[in-house]
Amino acid sequence: MRFLRVLRLPHLALLWSGQVLSAMGDFFYQIAMLWLTIKIAGSQGGIFIAGVEAAAALLFGIVGGIYADRWNRRYTMLTVDILRALAVGTLPLLALYGPLALWELTLVAILVGSLGAFFNPALQASLPALVPDKVMLQATNGLMDITRRLARTFGPSLAALLITFLSLSQFFTIDAFSFLISAGAILLMGRHFAWKASEGTQHKNKGLGGLVLDIRKALQAIRGHKPIAWTIFASGFISMAWSAGFIIGIPLFASQVLKGTVSAYGLIVAAYGAGNVVSNLLIGSLPLQRPVRIMLLGRLIVGGGFILMISQPNLAMAMFGAALAATGGPMGDIPLAIMMQTELPSQHIGKVYSLYDMISSLGSILGPMLAALLYAYLTVPQAIAICGLIIAATSVMGFTRLREA
């Protein structure tokens, strides 16, 4: 399999291993952050802290993309990982002297959200320079995409095991160490790769005028590529519907419709994670002759899987629909990443990825608002079905608008 070929390259094996551990650390960080803020501020605490971190990521999103294209991307990722380790690592130290305060958790959430806005576009923009050809780039994108999906799949069971002999504040220690491991992996990769766009593609304007010019050029590059432009536009609606339908809807469906316990919800989430992983392995290895068609088909499968989940009030169908919906995620994400990395100028990859990430994040923030509206007036299955139809509709409209592509 192509994944094995990628992992035979020492520098890519290092990078991927660091990112897997970092993704697992992030999962532990999210559990600890949400639980502690709920204990301090009640049920609204989790919503508040998640909103603060997302807002920080949105605020610094396009700036992070600009400097991911201007600066040396290796140094950017190294610096960000070290700063995130220091920020998160202060929390277990503060916990030694008493209960953590909400303002301390909030400050760290702001730092983590804003720093992530610099790391992610730098990583995406670096991948084309780290692989020998487009075939390997596809498999590498599959590997990088699978990291957060592995964390989602195996994180809950590992967290349940660790919490038996670690305090919740020590989950922050695990995350801090994971950032240091990621930084060490990037450091060991060396300096001999093209970690920065060529000087000939960089303009010399600085200050606010230079930032505006960078954004304008990135938007011009997007407008010149219809599939990427459409996907970025549609990503906000997809993220909003996915958040309302899966993140909020599936726990309600498991408890109210299936009359199940947390274990029923866990099985549905596990089925979704398994479908993600299998799809990543396939899409990262199979030839993508028609990437636009595969990308749109993936969104259609996600929407169809949502509808299938609620078609019958039984756990087996819910798990099958979740696994099917999950296969569509990598079908959309991997072809999009490859198009951004190979069909856009290298000096704009970071900015375009940041814009895509910002719009997706904005959709995730709006998801609870859509959920509040849907679940107030519709049954849980009807609301989830509406979310699935929204996702599927973006695919159908994409097929219509991108017929030539």
Side-chain angles (χ1 to χ4, degrees), residues 31-53:
I31 290 175
M33 185 66 76
L34 289 171
W35 188 262
L36 290 172
T37 50
I38 288 172
K39 287 179 64 177
I40 295 170
S43 59
Q44 298 301 312
I47 298 174
F48 167 76
I49 205 70
V52 164
E53 189 168 327

Side-chain angles (χ1 to χ4, degrees), residues 80-90 115 172 175-180:
V80 167
D81 267 342
I82 292 171
L83 290 176
R84 289 192 293 190
L86 291 173
V88 176
T90 59
L115 288 169
F172 295 124
D175 190 35
F177 273 111
S178 75
F179 284 133
L180 293 177

Side-chain angles (χ1 to χ4, degrees), residues 223-348:
R223 283 198 296 267
H225 197 296
K226 288 184 179 179
I228 291 178
W230 169 255
T231 305
I232 290 176
F233 168 75
S235 65
F237 295 97
I238 294 170
S239 295
M240 180 177 63
W242 189 89
S243 178
F246 194 85
I247 297 296
I248 297 174
I250 294 305
L252 294 175
F253 184 76
S255 62
Q256 297 182 15
V257 179
L258 299 182
K259 307 299 182 183
T261 62
V262 175
S263 61
Y265 169 65
L267 287 172
I268 297 173
V269 173
Y272 193 93
N276 269 165
V277 172
V278 171
S279 181
N280 265 111
L281 293 173
L282 291 175
I283 300 301
S285 299
L286 297 176
L288 300 181
Q289 299 297 333
R290 297 176 181 269
V292 177
R293 182 173 296 180
I294 292 172
M295 183 175 66
L296 294 173
L297 180 61
R299 307 307 188 200
L300 190 62
I301 290 174
V302 174
F306 269 50
I307 296 172
L308 189 62
M309 273 191 289
I310 52 85
S311 62
Q312 297 291 331
N314 62 72
L315 181 58
M317 183 59 73
M319 291 175 63
F320 179 72
L324 178 65
T327 62
M331 290 176 66
D333 294 343
I334 295 175
L336 175 63
I338 294 172
M339 283 193 291
M340 286 183 180
Q341 293 161 350
T342 62
E343 299 176 18
L344 293 176
S346 64
Q347 70 271 24
H348 297 316

